[in-house]
Amino acid sequence: MAELKEARVPDIGGSKDVPVIELLVKVGDAVKKDQGLVTLESDKATMEVPAPFAGIVRELKLKVGDEVAEGALVAMIEAIDATTTAAVAAPVAEKPAAPISAPATAPAVPAPVVVSAAASATPANVSSGTRSPPVAFAADGLMPDKVPYASPSVRVFARELGVDLAQLSGSERGGRISKEDVQNFVKKVIAGGAATSAGNGGGLNLLPWPQVDFAKFGAIELQPLSRIKKISGANLHRNWVSIPHVTQFNEADITEMEAFRKKLGEEQKDVKVTPLVFLIKAVVAALKKYPQFNASLDGDNLVLKKYFHIGIAVDTPDGLVVPVLRDCESKGLFELSSELAAISARAREKKLGPAEMQGGCFSISSLGGIGGTAFTPIINAPEVAILGVSKSLTKPVWNGSEFAPRLMLPLSLSYDHRVIDGAAAARFTAYLAQVLGDLRRLLV
Ligand code: CAO
């Protein structure tokens, strides 16, 4: 007899007390290197413990129900070399057979070895011949929550059908995915009723949306989403999942700006001048200074815009719309105020045409009239940044010798990190704060 060697549980990501749920070989079976010996099942995943080398199983040290951790002894295997293995396989194929132990360059899932009656009559039954290829063992795949919960045979079945198990939720105990779940999923996809990864977050492999019978828990009422909500929701979702957002926060001291705004309001009663028009002017100045914020991504190019059209998020009873104020660099505060009043009234009366919502370079979402201290606005693609504005508040600010009451305006700038670096975003918001703190800078 050749040398008996140990097969032990490899690194399974630190998991302990992992139960053995299936024995994949029996004493006397010939196994190939990496062939599954037993199946372990944690609460997150199932995995096979592979044979570390080719040979004949002489002793099985585990039984179903045993609980193991890394290093547990699985089996004693009589190692056989490639020559012996070829001799076992040769009569089957009646031609020079490939060695059972896979060459170094072989794919992770070896081709099954066909076993004839003649071969099975040999002392070394090549058990892999009747089994599907083992699921490759990956310790990394053990711990993450995303690992689908399914038996090896279901995994093989899904793999044969090209089904990504991460897209399914299992109907069995503990969410385990059954063969029927895979079949039902395929039927749904064929019927066009299942969200595949392509239509479910752009290949994010998201879990299906939870289906809950809310009426089981109390009274409910169904309210269909408005058309605007459906359209804006789809856009927001796409932008949220496809743009790497970061939000930079800052505060602007608008004490002087507010005094000036109030003075303007007293002088010009026909039109209401709110802080928002000052923000539009300050944003235009910042876009001029930092042109990468006035841009859109187009493949490997950045399209830099030489115009300054600013989108304004308007809250309407039916949902959010973003009409665009054009050529803001050439308009004064009163003109912008009248346009803002007109365009937000049109938005609330549902009178905006599609052209009025196109061509924006950068958006501002102001919740300053409502409240809150900060928020993380979602970028309005294909723009690369959006400014969120919250309610100004008088705060004690240290002026070098004492605390003085100052009116501080919170700014929240979300930006596309593919285009804009954090340092640029910090500079952009610092500059905005500078301009709002001293409007004379608009003239520079
Ligand atoms: N801090 C303190 N007060 C502020 C302020 C701020 N940052 N911004 C506005 N205000 C005050 C205004 O001065 C006004 O006060 P008075 O009535 O005393 O003059 C009051 O709040 C209401 O302002 P407003 O909201 O009517 O006007 P606006 O120009 O600031 O905003 C518009 C116009 C259309 C942007 C706004 O009405 C709106 O719809 N905001 C919601 C946008 C939204 O939903 N964004 C979230 C989108 S999700 O990302």
Side-chain angles (χ1 to χ4, degrees):
M1 186 189 281
E3 190 192 355
L4 270 187
K5 288 202 214 164
E6 294 175 339
R8 291 184 177 272
V9 174
D11 176 6
I12 51 174
S15 291
K16 299 218 165 39
D17 304 329
V18 182
V20 176
I21 59 157
E22 204 179 357
L23 301 180
L24 302 173
V25 291
K26 54 187 185 314
V27 171
D29 281 355
V31 291
K32 297 180 296 178
K33 181 174 184 307
D34 290 333
Q35 182 182 329
L37 299 174
V38 297
T39 305
L40 309 181
E41 183 175 72
S42 72
D43 54 350
K44 304 257 172 52
T46 59
M47 80 239 50
E48 292 183 2
V49 174
F53 40 79
I56 297 164
V57 179
R58 291 298 178 203
E59 274 179 76
L60 264 174
K61 299 289 191 184
L62 294 176
K63 56 184 187 316
V64 171
D66 284 353
E67 294 187 340
V68 297
E70 178 182 348
L73 185 58
V74 178
M76 299 301 294
I77 297 178
E78 183 187 338
I80 52 173
D81 60 24
T83 337
T84 324
T85 309
V88 173
V92 180
E94 291 179 350
K95 60 183 178 183
I100 287 177
S101 58
T105 52
V109 179
V113 177
V114 182
V115 184
S116 71
S120 54
T122 65
N125 293 339
V126 183
S127 64
S128 65
T130 53
R131 287 186 53 77
S132 301
V135 175
F137 179 89
D140 289 354
L142 265 178
M143 295 317 290
D145 293 341
K146 297 180 199 81
V147 175
Y149 184 28
S151 72
S153 60
V154 171
R155 285 164 188 278
V156 170
F157 179 61
R159 196 164 56 210
E160 283 166 359
L161 295 176
V163 171
D164 175 6
L165 285 179
Q167 294 187 47
L168 275 75
S169 54
S171 61
E172 291 193 344
R173 192 174 57 87
R176 189 179 165 113
I177 300 168
S178 67
K179 194 174 174 189
E180 285 68 35
D181 292 329
V182 177
Q183 286 166 332
N184 289 338
F185 180 81
V186 171
K187 279 183 205 160
K188 263 199 206 163
V189 170
I190 290 169
T196 61
S197 58
N200 190 12
L204 289 178
N205 282 340
L206 301 176
L207 288 174
W209 195 256
Q211 298 295 315
V212 179
D213 178 9
F214 299 102
K216 270 196 338 202
F217 306 109
I220 58 164
E221 176 195 329
L222 278 189
Q223 191 178 72
L225 288 179
S226 70
R227 200 176 140 271
I228 290 180
K229 274 240 160 72
K230 282 194 218 159
I231 296 170
S232 64
N235 278 288
L236 289 166
H237 185 198
R238 179 205 51 210
N239 299 346
W240 180 248
V241 299
S242 59
I243 301 174
H245 282 71
V246 180
T247 305
Q248 170 70 48
F249 303 100
N250 206 338
E251 280 185 330
D253 181 340
I254 58 164
T255 315
E256 265 88 48
M257 185 198 97
E258 269 299 276
F260 178 52
R261 186 180 74 86
K262 289 214 169 99
K263 214 158 151 232
L264 283 182
E266 283 157 19
E267 285 169 17
Q268 176 60 272
K269 301 237 190 269
D270 300 345
V271 55
K272 183 166 154 187
V273 180
T274 64
L276 189 48
V277 286
F278 289 86
L279 279 150
I280 294 172
K281 292 306 278 186
V283 161
V284 169
L287 292 177
K288 283 184 178 166
K289 192 167 169 71
Y290 300 101
Q292 75 267 40
F293 287 79
N294 191 12
S296 286
L297 255 186
D298 182 12
D300 288 339
N301 291 318
L302 205 52
V303 181
L304 296 168
K305 297 159 199 171
K306 308 291 178 187
Y307 48 85
F308 300 90
H309 305 336
I310 307 296
I312 304 293
V314 177
D315 175 37
T316 79
D318 289 326
L320 182 72
V321 289
V322 189
V324 175
L325 295 178
R326 287 176 201 278
D327 303 315
C328 297
E329 81 284 11
S330 62
K331 292 176 179 163
L333 293 174
F334 292 133
E335 192 177 358
L336 284 174
S337 297
S338 320
E339 280 195 18
L340 179 62
I343 211 161
S344 41
R346 284 170 62 70
R348 286 173 182 141
E349 290 158 14
K350 302 186 198 173
K351 287 188 181 151
L352 282 181
E356 291 174 284
M357 292 184 276
Q358 289 167 2
C361 304
F362 181 101
S363 295
I364 303 179
S365 176
S366 173
L367 295 172
I370 302 169
T373 52
F375 63 108
T376 53
I378 297 178
I379 295 163
N380 190 15
E383 297 163 17
V384 294
I386 180 169
L387 181 69
V389 184
S390 299
K391 194 174 182 64
S392 57
L393 187 70
T394 301
K395 291 183 176 179
V397 177
W398 185 251
N399 64 13
S401 49
E402 59 183 356
F403 281 104
R406 306 296 295 177
L407 187 63
M408 305 303 291
L409 179 73
L411 305 172
S412 310
L413 176 84
S414 292
Y415 58 93
D416 184 337
H417 211 343
R418 294 170 301 178
V419 176
I420 293 161
D421 294 333
R427 285 189 194 105
F428 187 92
T429 51
Y431 181 69
L432 268 183
Q434 244 184 356
V435 170
L436 293 166
D438 182 357
L439 295 173
R440 289 173 302 183
R441 289 189 179 273
L442 286 173
L443 304 170
V444 181

